[in-house]
Structures are given as structure tokens and as C-alpha cells.
Amino acid sequence: MADHDTFASLGLIPQLVDAAAALNFTRPTPVQQQCIPAALQGKDIIALAPTGSGKTAAFALPIIQRLWESPRGIFACVLAPTRELAYQISSQFEALGAGIGVRCAVIVGGDVDKIDQAVALAKKPHIIIATPGRLLDHLKTTKGFHLKSIQHLVLDEADRLLDLDFGASIDLVLQAIPTERTTYLFSATMTTKVAKLQRASLRDHVRVEAGLANQTVDTLLQYYILCPLVMKDANVVALIESQAQSSMIIFVRTIHNARRLAGMLRMLTFSVVPLHGELTQTQRLGALAKFKSGERKILVATDVVSRGLDIPLVDLVINYDMPTTSKDYIHRVGRTARAGRAGKAVTLITQYDVELLQRLEKAINCKLPEWPIDKEVVNALRSTVDNAAHQVMHEMKNEPSGTKHGKGRGKRYLEDAGAIEGVEELALLGSAGQQKRKKARV
């Protein structure tokens, strides 16, 4: 394969080369170098690449160029596993296609108004970015809406789509679109389900593998902190204080922990915002907007954020709760050290997590060193931190019965959840993690 050191060398038109430069895309990533020329030749593609590898531009740029060459109504459909990722993909399409007036419609579920979406679809956007369930709902019920004219289908984060049991919905969408189309399937891992979807949706395709999807990047420094469970809060506060100038995401396992930890840190005067599955879509996008803009330095999140999000300036990822699988760990820490930048990840390990740590080190073939935490500082903080934690727990227990978290909890919680005016304009965002409702909610 010829060297492709510039976007112009990939065969892109000058308008798109300029658009990439305007977004500070200085040099094509490996997945872009391999995907874009094949896509411009009209090939189907299956691409296996790790998080942060530039996958969105790898399919957005060729789709926009082919739209430029043959403008028409609804031209492409992108299926994404989560609402945040759908919004982020849309923002990148609109940014890259601004020079030729690309119009997108985001079609996602949750509390987003279905009538407004139907109006957006009636305006015949060029690109539809959707979660499978809501798209199928519109195909069944929205008068006049169909996908019979689309030329491109993208299945992004395919392994995640199938993990969330969207398989049946995807099958029905495939039946509703033309067989004569170009299909791009992007996945972090090649699972049995992804292989089956590949056989069902791709024809004469090109296979692209860029990097090891089950490994962390070389620019990521990884550590652990070993502490008793009762000292976990004091240790995380000491760690945050030692990295006070850093932008950081703290991952927790449950909504309860996200609310408790965010409330405790807020009480200790840290600049923090929570993000989890019980917030409304407006609040979730608002929380991301506050974090991306630097208005909040700390994002406390469940795995709703662990995949797909492109937040360029995350200096540190903290695993407050140890992830249960190496795949979840890789996606979490992939929020930092992106696109060749350096980053750090620190995982808190209690007496109950040691075996999980050993399994993780074996899976990623990396022995994690211990973070140099100052035990005297931790001990000095414990009383203050525990008092804050107890006060937050008391507030949470005394919330009105039946109150939906994130909606009616009072002004302070709403503000910190990101319920801000004009959030749709601010949220050039995205990414991941709406669990099935019958599973434990995160």
C-alpha cells in the first residue's frame, strides 16, 4: 500500500482536506490511511481498531466526498449504540461537511421528542445518525419516512451494538434499506456476533486492522493504588488533590456511587459534574458540555462514558471502582492518551479487587506499578472526607419518595447535572453505554 502521510494523498477533495485541517487533523491515523482510499473506491469495509483511533473521520470523510459528487436526499445512515455517540458523530459530520452544507438528523430514544425527530426527518437530511431502536420505531410509524434511497450504511461500535441486544433491530433495518449500497462496519473487537453481522451485511469487502484492540496505547501511564475499602474515599481525594490542575474522569460502577461520589467531592469544593444513565438527555449533554469546555475539571461517570466519546484534553482517568473485565478497563482508560497524546490512568484496588487486578495485568500483558500516594496526607484527610460522605448519604436518603434522580432533586443537583440553556448548541459531543433495562443499571 502506498504511503498516505497527508489527507490530500488519500484522494480527498481540497474542500475536505481544508475541513480536516480546520479541525486540527494534521496527519491521517492508521485506520484513516487504510479505510479512506478503499471507501472512495466504493468498497465495503470491516475495520477493527481500538478506541481513539479516528474511526469517525475514517467513514465520514469518504461519505461526504461521495455526497459532494452525487448530491441527493437521505444519503447515508449511521447506527450507533448510544445517544451520546450519535450526537458526537453528527457533530463531526457537520464540522467536516460545513463547506458543502451537510445536514444531519440525530434520531435517538430516551426522553427526546419523537415528533421533533419526525419533523427533522421530513426535511430530508443528508445523513441520519441513529440508535437502532428509535430508527426502527420511525420506520414503522412516521408517515412518509423510509430509507430506500440511502447509498451508505455505517454500523459503528458494532460489538457494543450487539452487546446491547440491538441485533434484531439491526436485522429489520437491513431489510428496510437497499441491497445495493456501501456498508462500513467498525468494531473494537471481532466477536462471534460481529462475524455473523459481517456475513449478513457486507459483500466484497476490505478488512482493516489498525492497532491491537485488546491493548492499551504506549503513551498511557498506568498505575494502581492499594487501599482498604474504608479508606477508598480518602485515597481518591488525596489523588485528586495531587493532580489538581488536571482534567479527569472518575469511573464508578453504579448510579448510586456516581451520585454519592460527585456529591461528596462537590461538598469538598471540587469542580465536579456527574454523568449517569438516570439523567435526562439534556442533562447528560449539558454535563459533557461543561466538562469539555473546562467549566468543570472532574467528571464522575458510570460506563455511559467509557466508549466512543472524544474528549481531547483528559489528563487522568481514575477507576474508583475496578472494572470487572479487561475490555471495560481498556475502554475506560482509552478516554485519555488519545491520538498520540500522553495520559495517566490510576485504578483503586481494595482487598476485594486484587484478583481482578492480576487478571487484568495478564490480559493486557502489562504489570502496573503502584502510584506513590502519601499515606500521611490520606490519614489527615480521612475525617473531613468521611464527614462529607456521611452528609451526602443523609441527603440522598432523605430525598422525596418516588423522585426521579436528576429531575426533581433541587436546584443544586440540576445545575451540577448540566441542565443548562442552549445545550443542544453547545453539545458537539458524543458516547457510550445505555445498558439493557433488565440488566443492573449503571
Side-chain angles (χ1 to χ4, degrees):
M1 181 180 293
D3 289 336
H4 294 301
D5 292 333
T6 67
F7 283 97
S9 70
L10 300 178
L12 293 171
I13 58 177
Q15 293 91 330
L16 292 181
V17 174
D18 292 343
L23 294 179
N24 294 319
F25 294 174
T26 55
R27 186 177 184 274
T29 66
V31 71
Q32 292 162 1
Q33 292 176 5
Q34 296 181 64
C35 284
I36 292 175
L40 292 176
Q41 293 171 17
K43 300 283 189 181
D44 283 4
I45 294 171
I46 178 168
L48 304 178
T51 184
S53 58
K55 288 182 284 185
T56 304
F59 62 76
L61 284 166
I63 287 175
I64 295 169
Q65 178 151 323
R66 299 193 76 182
L67 173 64
W68 168 269
E69 295 165 351
S70 178
R72 62 187 71 197
I74 299 176
F75 188 74
C77 177
V78 182
L79 296 182
T82 64
R83 291 173 267 171
E84 284 74 28
L85 181 54
Y87 280 104
Q88 178 171 289
I89 293 169
S90 175
S91 73
Q92 191 146 117
F93 262 105
E94 290 180 343
L96 290 169
I100 65 171
V102 170
R103 292 180 288 108
C104 299
V106 178
I107 307 300
V108 296
D111 59 345
V112 182
D113 190 270
K114 189 179 171 186
I115 295 175
D116 289 344
Q117 292 178 346
V119 171
L121 291 171
K123 295 178 180 178
K124 295 292 189 285
H126 301 117
I127 316 291
I128 292 173
I129 303 98
T131 49
R134 179 57 67 93
L135 179 66
L136 189 60
D137 190 6
H138 279 285
L139 285 169
K140 291 178 177 178
T141 63
T142 299
K143 187 175 180 180
F145 171 59
H146 61 80
L147 294 173
K148 295 176 182 178
S149 65
I150 72 162
Q151 301 296 301
H152 297 269
L153 173 69
V154 181
L155 301 159
D156 195 21
E157 299 276 4
D159 52 347
R160 182 67 169 161
L161 280 167
L162 297 172
D163 282 348
L164 293 174
D165 275 3
F166 283 128
S169 296
I170 292 171
D171 288 342
L172 291 172
V173 170
L174 290 174
Q175 294 172 25
I177 62 178
T179 55
E180 292 298 318
R181 64 174 191 271
T182 305
T183 305
Y184 308 141
L185 192 157
F186 285 78
S187 183
T189 55
M190 175 54 87
T191 64
T192 302
K193 290 181 178 179
V194 172
K196 182 179 178 182
L197 180 59
Q198 171 193 328
R199 291 192 294 271
S201 60
L202 273 65
R203 295 171 297 174
D204 180 23
H205 64 272
V206 173
R207 182 184 176 102
V208 170
E209 294 189 45
L212 296 173
N214 63 340
Q215 296 292 308
T216 54
V217 297
D218 293 338
T219 54
L220 175 68
L221 301 176
Q222 303 170 80
Y223 305 89
Y224 72 91
I225 292 174
L226 183 63
C227 63
L229 182 62
V230 294
M231 297 292 288
K232 199 173 182 180
D233 286 344
N235 272 271
V236 79
V237 171
L239 173 58
I240 293 168
E241 285 191 341
S242 72
Q243 303 293 303
Q245 302 306 311
S246 298
S247 168
M248 63 189 79
I249 300 178
I250 305 176
F251 281 105
V252 295
R253 194 171 293 137
T254 64
I255 289 172
H256 174 83
N257 259 2
R259 298 178 59 231
R260 184 193 69 82
L261 186 59
M264 181 191 79
L265 294 175
R266 199 162 50 238
M267 202 163 287
L268 295 170
T269 71
F270 290 102
S271 174
V272 60
V273 62
L275 180 59
H276 52 71
E278 284 195 350
L279 299 176
T280 67
Q281 189 60 37
T282 299
Q283 289 170 342
R284 287 163 73 166
L285 292 176
L288 284 170
K290 286 187 172 186
F291 183 64
K292 289 189 77 170
S293 70
E295 184 179 343
R296 296 287 190 272
K297 297 287 287 184
I298 302 170
L299 182 69
V300 177
T302 60
D303 282 318
V304 74
V305 182
S306 67
R307 289 183 66 152
L309 272 185
D310 184 19
I311 306 174
L313 300 177
V314 178
D315 304 307
L316 172 65
V317 167
I318 300 173
N319 289 307
Y320 178 85
D321 290 323
M322 176 73 180
T324 54
T325 69
S326 59
K327 185 167 75 170
D328 289 340
Y329 174 85
I330 289 166
H331 286 302
R332 283 185 181 187
V333 301
R335 297 311 96 207
T336 186
R338 297 173 72 84
R341 289 181 291 267
K344 295 191 287 287
V346 182
T347 301
L348 274 71
I349 303 296
T350 72
Q351 63 268 38
Y352 306 107
D353 303 317
V354 174
E355 185 180 348
L356 284 174
L357 174 64
Q358 292 170 341
R359 272 193 268 155
L360 169 67
E361 291 177 330
K362 183 177 180 180
I364 65 174
N365 194 29
C366 176
K367 184 73 174 175
L368 272 59
E370 190 166 5
W371 180 268
I373 199 82
D374 190 326
K375 298 299 183 184
E376 290 186 6
V377 170
V378 172
N379 291 329
L381 285 169
R382 183 177 180 183
S383 177
T384 302
V385 171
D386 286 352
N387 285 338
H390 291 149
Q391 189 170 338
V392 168
M393 285 298 296
H394 178 75
E395 288 185 8
M396 290 171 64
K397 286 178 182 177
N398 287 292
E399 288 172 1
S401 177
T403 298
K404 175 73 173 175
H405 301 323
K407 290 187 178 178
R409 300 195 315 253
K411 185 171 183 292
R412 182 178 65 178
Y413 277 102
L414 282 173
E415 287 174 347
D416 286 323
I420 53 179
E421 229 175 289
V423 70
E424 292 83 1
E425 298 176 7
L426 291 173
L428 302 179
L429 306 167
S431 183
Q434 184 181 349
Q435 296 289 350
K436 287 189 301 179
R437 289 301 179 191
K438 66 181 180 181
K439 284 187 177 180
R441 300 170 76 185
V442 297

